[in-house]
Structures are given as structure tokens and as C-alpha cells.
Amino acid sequence: MQKENKISLKNYNSFGVDVISSNFNIANSEKEIISFIKKNPFSKPIILGGGTNILFKNNIDRNILKIQVKGIELINETEDYVIVSVGAGEVWNDLVNWAINNNYGGLENLSLIPGNVGSAPIQNIGAYGVELKDNFENCRTISIENGSLKIFKHSECKFSYRSSIFKEELKNKYIISYVTFKLSKKNHTINSSYEPLKQAIINNKISNPTIKNISELVCEIRSSKLPDPKLIGNCGSFFKNPIINKIDFKKLCEREKDVPFYKISEKKIKIPAAWLIEKCGYKGIRDGDTGTHDKHALIIVNYGKASGNEIFEFSQKIKNTVLRKFNILLEEEVNIIND
Ligand code: EPU
């Protein structure tokens, strides 16, 4: 267990916000997580993974527990698939690369998503037509209340669009220590239906894409429009794409031409938040040291010295403008820490 009493979190959050933590702890194993919980009952720690989906508004006095449990282990194998158990502190994209290099299929569309493996189930990460839930088997967790171990099966996680039970009724109740995935060994399912990916396959004249091809194309698409957090602070999409009902969608289409949308069900339609924000004139807008990315309106960036509060205030201006113009309430995808 490592402990720091005064440390800047600048290198621990991809927004690059420079706030001070006065109780910073790193757990390198499941055992260390359990012993931390038992020693610090009722401390309501902030659990930190890769720090790529979190906005600290102020300095943090509360305990922070960074999860650094490592390891990728094959625990079962048949002719068709492997079952892999992965430490929550592994970097997500390292896992994807490991899978591609071993020709294990399932994670390729999720290439280059920032963050750690343990955070992935919490918000059911997704990109280019695939979500974490499509390859997830179960996860091992530790109760924040009493340090006991519990395994959550797929059906118990209540996965939905960018959410799970760990973001809803069990928010801040469990720490994920290991995630188990089921990956294909042959006859991989190739998911190429997401429009920009389909287009990239055609442009590159690939007739039978492999999982490696898909991974490379996803990396190309992402790098062309999403800013690299190592170069410019950001947490990817700041808001979720709102889901509206068909009647409101019809009204929107009467007002605006060519509204992009994804049909969710007979009654529900998902609208890209980026489009709504762009329509409000907020694409590539700079406000002090924060702003929206010039290639993608849904990405709020830190040009260098923005404080967490400044980034938050800017995000609320966007949210209020979208609400006034479209009567649609955007919901933050990034985890806002209000301490
Ligand atoms: N669009 C605009 N203006 C922009 C950018 C996009 O109008 O500046 C419109 C376009 O019509 C475009 C549509 O929005 O077709 C969708 O854009 P994009 O394909 O970039 O996807 P997204 O809906 O904005 C979601 C995820 C991303 C994920 C991509 C690809 C959410 C909140 N975001 O973005 O995830 O990479 O799809 O699958 O669901 C993340 O969660 O941090 C993230 C980056």
C-alpha cells in the first residue's frame, strides 16, 4: 500500500486539473483494497482508476483510493473461446492490444478507449457498435462498507447505455478488483456496421476485415477526431447522447433539417449530443483555458491551466444553452466530484 499526504492530482486525471489530494492511497492488490476498507470504515473514499472520466472541481480532503491491481490471466479455454481474468488496474488499451496480438476477438472495436479495466463495466464503455457488456462474463468486487468479496454475474450488472448497477443503485458501494471476459479464438464476429467504420473499410478496400484490421481502423478514426489526453486535457465525451421519445423527435425534425439519430426502440431515439451542441454554436469555442474541441463538439478540453470549476462552469453553459434551444436536458457522462 502506498500513501501520500499532499500530492497534486494533475497526473492522475486526464483533464489535467491541478488539485491537491491530502489523503492519497494506492492499492496494488485485492488484499490491500480489503485492508484499506477495514482500516478506514465510513471514510467514503473516492475510487480512482485511470482518471479518464472524472472531473475534480476542488482540492480533495477525502481519502482517494487508486486501484492498481495488475495481471492478465487465462483461466479457462476451449477450442472456440478463452476466459480471461484481468486486474482492474490494467490499462484498457493494453488489454485490447494483448487480445489482438493473441488473436482473441471481441474487444477490437473498443481500441484506444482511455481508462482502466476496472472502470469499464461501471459505465459499460462502448464505441463503434460494441459495448463492454458484449464480452463481459463477471467481475470480482469488494464492498466499500465491510470489505467483503462479491462476484457480479453479467445479469446482475444491469448494463445499459453508458451505465450499470455500479452507476445507479450500487453507486459507491463496491470496488471492482478483477473483470473476466469471454473472447473468441476463431470465427470472430466482425462488427463493422457503425457507419464511419463501414466507410473506412470500403475506403481501404478491405474485403474480409480481421480483428486487427478493425482495431487499426478504429484507432485511425478515433485519432482523427478525438484529442489525445496526453497532448490536451480531456475526458472524451462530456455528456451522454440524450434519448428522447418519438413525439419529441418528430417536433425536432420539423424545426431542424437532417437531424442525425440512432433508433433505440419503437418509441425511443438517441440524438448525438455533439450535434445539439454544434447547433448551439459551441463547436471549437474557447472560454479562458477551457472550451470544446474544434473537431468534436462533445469533447470539452483543458488548454492547460483551467481549473475544475472553470471546466464545470463552461459545461453548464453548454447544458443550459441546449436546454433553452432544444428543451433537451443533457446528462453528464463524466463523473463530477463536487467536494
Ligand atoms: N456530430 C456533430 N458535431 C460534432 C461531432 C459529431 O454534429 O462535432 C454528430 C455527427 O452527426 C456524427 C454524430 O454526431 O455522426 C456522432 O458522432 P460520433 O460518431 O463521433 O459519436 P458520438 O455519438 O459523439 C459516441 C460515444 C463515443 C464513441 C463514439 C463512437 C457517447 C457519449 N460517446 O460518440 O465515446 O467513441 O460514439 O462509437 O456515447 C466516450 O464515451 O468518451 C466516447 C468518446
Side-chain angles (χ1 to χ4, degrees), residues 127-128 161-162 194 222 237 241 262 272 275 278 283 296-297:
Y128 306 101
Y161 166 62
R162 287 298 193 280
Y194 194 86
R222 285 189 79 94
S237 305
N241 288 332
Y262 320 97
W275 181 83
E278 187 171 339
K283 185 169 180 170
H296 206 298

